[in-house]
Amino acid sequence: MSPAAQTLERKWDLDVEKIRADFPILQKRVHGKPLVYLDNAASTQKPRQVIEALSRFYFESYSNIHRGIHELSQEATAAHDDAREKVRRFLGASDRHEIVFVRGATEAINLVVWSWGWQNVGAGDEVLITALEHHANIVPWQMLCARKGASLCVAPIDDRGVLLLDKMEKMINGRTRIIAATHVSNVLGTVNPVHEMIEMGHRHGVPVLIDGAQAVPHTAVDVAALGCDFYVFSGHKIYGPSGIGALYGRRELLDEMPPWQCGGDMIDRVTYDKTTFNVVPYKFEAGTPDIAGAIGLGAAIDYMGKIGIENIAAYEQDLLDYATARLGEIPGLRIVGTAPHKASVVSFVVDGTHPTDIATILDQEGVAIRTGHHCAMPLMERLGLPGTARASFSFYNTREEIDVLAGAVKKAIEMLR
Ligand code: PLP
């Protein structure tokens, strides 16, 4: 029996073959080999249900939203509102006004930085992030700090990639204006103790933004239970279209924040002397939004909901454990990121080889992984590595595909030595 067939106690109820049939792209062959798509942390593939929701909207209901009296505009507005409601439920927010549609996690963080941050961070203040951040949660804060004369402070991790929460708490002081931290590391897979982090921030009177880009694909999120002030994610990492995502913000904070982009839809009344603004979330949604994108995101949320996030989490945890074991057997291969609590991301390096060379050979075998700094250069510096190879798993992947990955990595190592 192949190792892949030796199933552990199943803690999920999920029919992978049926799921795979929903993703037409997974039938593709690459360089003559069946595609093994293991680049899900960069972006996930799209199920037929999402693609069809997009085309149905364009075929049957497309129009601009909010400003039309005519039937199509009302249908499109209702569908867009419905998508916002789905995101609200998905995140566990209590009020749909707390959900702002944006292009993705990057834009959501920029919105908070240039609206909330511009208003609340001043000279001598501090913004506290962690050593596990994606550039999207570093560079906007860094630019804000540079413009305001504030400092960017970075909470350390240990060599396994575990955040040192005690040290982080000691870094909080009277000048700390916000904590901005990732929920799950896109490089190491570390799941941060966001609940404790949020409680810690609030104990010190500091609001907390959580970057959930790598968390929402794998785990249930309930912003009300977490009590965070802001939570951001991207639709394309949860089987939705690219170019759409959401910012959750606590209503009191959003209400007080100034608009960051201005134009149509975000206004209440405009004269040449003065403009008053629409209510949240519209105050932050200037111009025609990605209407179809929001509808596609709603369809993706429905799709994940049908499988069930608990099933997804349990199945992907099995893939992670299996991949960790299979890759861990390969001589000379070192897994980077060994936190006890991880999501389904495995970064690795191989003695004497460059990650890009490994990925190039894997590509010839039909195996898609990612290599490089993964938009986390400071983390790479902390780890003393120029980059890693990263395989990241979805509920449509299988243990057999992980066997193909492990075989292709072995072949690459033989070829490169
Ligand atoms: N934050 C994390 C942890 C990510 O992994 C990513 C993308 O990989 C982002 C933010 C940025 O997401 P996007 O490019 O969709 O805005």
Side-chain angles (χ1 to χ4, degrees):
M1 194 190 287
S2 82
Q6 296 168 15
T7 317
L8 300 171
E9 186 201 343
R10 277 173 66 114
K11 298 193 186 103
W12 58 86
D13 174 17
L14 162 162
D15 182 344
V16 186
E17 282 318 308
K18 191 156 165 275
I19 287 171
R20 288 180 69 82
D22 288 335
F23 289 81
I25 206 168
L26 297 180
Q27 305 310 315
K28 195 178 165 82
R29 293 181 82 82
V30 172
H31 306 301
K33 306 273 171 54
L35 168 66
V36 175
Y37 185 77
L38 303 177
D39 194 17
N40 296 289
S43 202
T44 51
Q45 298 299 345
K46 317 304 167 198
R48 203 180 292 282
Q49 289 81 344
V50 168
I51 300 166
E52 285 172 359
L54 289 170
S55 56
R56 202 166 43 245
F57 176 61
Y58 279 121
F59 274 125
E60 295 172 13
S61 307
Y62 181 76
S63 169
N64 209 332
I65 54 171
H66 294 154
R67 291 175 289 270
I69 298 295
H70 60 79
E71 172 63 23
L72 276 186
S73 180
Q74 300 207 5
E75 275 179 33
T77 303
H80 193 254
D81 287 348
D82 188 43
R84 196 186 305 274
E85 175 59 19
K86 286 176 184 174
V87 175
R88 180 197 71 72
R89 277 204 303 268
F90 180 66
L91 290 182
S94 53
D95 176 354
R96 71 182 180 83
H97 293 91
E98 296 180 316
I99 305 298
V100 183
F101 279 125
V102 286
R103 279 196 297 125
T106 302
E107 188 170 76
I109 295 168
N110 273 274
L111 191 166
V112 175
V113 167
W114 298 115
S115 172
W116 187 91
W118 190 257
Q119 199 172 45
N120 289 285
V121 176
D125 286 343
E126 294 180 4
V127 170
L128 181 54
I129 62 170
T130 81
L132 290 165
E133 302 311 314
H134 185 281
H135 294 161
N137 201 29
I138 301 173
V139 184
W141 295 113
Q142 189 178 51
M143 283 183 68
L144 176 76
C145 288
R147 289 192 195 170
K148 291 287 193 163
S151 305
L152 186 65
C153 306
V154 185
I157 52 171
D158 68 16
D159 292 338
R160 298 169 303 166
V162 174
L163 180 66
L164 300 173
L165 208 57
D166 292 357
K167 293 210 166 142
M168 186 170 192
E169 179 151 23
K170 292 202 179 94
M171 294 174 77
I172 302 175
N173 61 56
R175 306 300 328 222
T176 309
R177 287 291 160 263
I178 190 165
I179 293 172
T182 196
H183 193 160
V184 171
S185 161
N186 64 312
V187 180
L188 306 180
T190 308
V191 180
N192 271 332
V194 284
H195 211 282
E196 287 91 320
M197 203 190 301
I198 294 161
E199 267 179 20
M200 182 180 84
H202 289 176
R203 237 185 355 262
H204 293 271
V206 178
V208 181
L209 175 146
I210 302 294
D211 173 358
Q214 297 292 345
V216 288
H218 311 295
T219 180
V221 170
D222 183 335
V223 290
L226 282 175
C228 55
D229 300 279
F230 300 105
Y231 197 96
V232 310
F233 78 93
S234 297
H236 69 96
K237 293 188 199 282
I238 56 162
Y239 313 94
S242 49
I244 187 76
L247 162 70
Y248 157 81
R250 271 203 304 114
R251 179 82 193 250
E252 306 88 274
L253 295 178
L254 291 179
D255 278 339
E256 282 167 17
M257 285 159 54
W260 78 305
Q261 290 179 348
C262 302
D265 239 25
M266 49 76 71
I267 54 87
D268 168 39
R269 185 173 157 69
V270 180
T271 67
Y272 286 120
D273 293 330
K274 182 174 168 18
T275 295
T276 53
F277 302 112
N278 205 339
V279 293
V280 295
Y282 311 108
K283 179 171 79 171
F284 297 111
E285 294 179 354
T288 301
D290 184 353
I291 309 164
I295 290 161
L297 174 57
I301 288 173
D302 286 345
Y303 187 81
M304 285 181 73
K306 282 209 179 98
I307 300 173
I309 193 75
E310 286 76 20
N311 281 326
I312 293 172
Y315 180 73
E316 291 179 350
Q317 187 63 47
D318 176 64
L319 290 181
L320 172 69
D321 294 345
Y322 187 71
T324 305
R326 290 307 317 273
L327 292 172
E329 292 162 6
I330 299 174
L333 183 150
R334 178 166 68 86
I335 290 176
V336 182
T338 51
H341 193 190
K342 280 178 68 172
S344 56
V345 170
V346 180
S347 262
F348 59 93
V349 288
V350 177
D351 293 343
T353 67
H354 195 280
T356 307
D357 295 334
I358 301 246
T360 307
I361 296 171
L362 262 55
D363 178 54
Q364 292 301 313
E365 298 296 311
V367 180
I369 62 161
R370 189 149 293 245
T371 58
H373 53 66
H374 313 294
C375 295
M377 284 186 182
L379 173 57
M380 288 297 146
E381 202 176 318
R382 161 66 181 81
L383 298 169
L385 295 168
T388 69
R390 180 188 74 185
S392 49
F393 311 106
S394 153
F395 52 71
Y396 48 59
N397 293 126
T398 63
R399 283 182 166 210
E400 286 76 10
E401 288 184 311
I402 291 168
D403 288 341
V404 175
L405 165 73
V409 171
K410 281 187 203 150
K411 183 172 174 182
I413 294 171
E414 278 161 24
M415 286 170 73
L416 292 168
R417 283 215 173 125

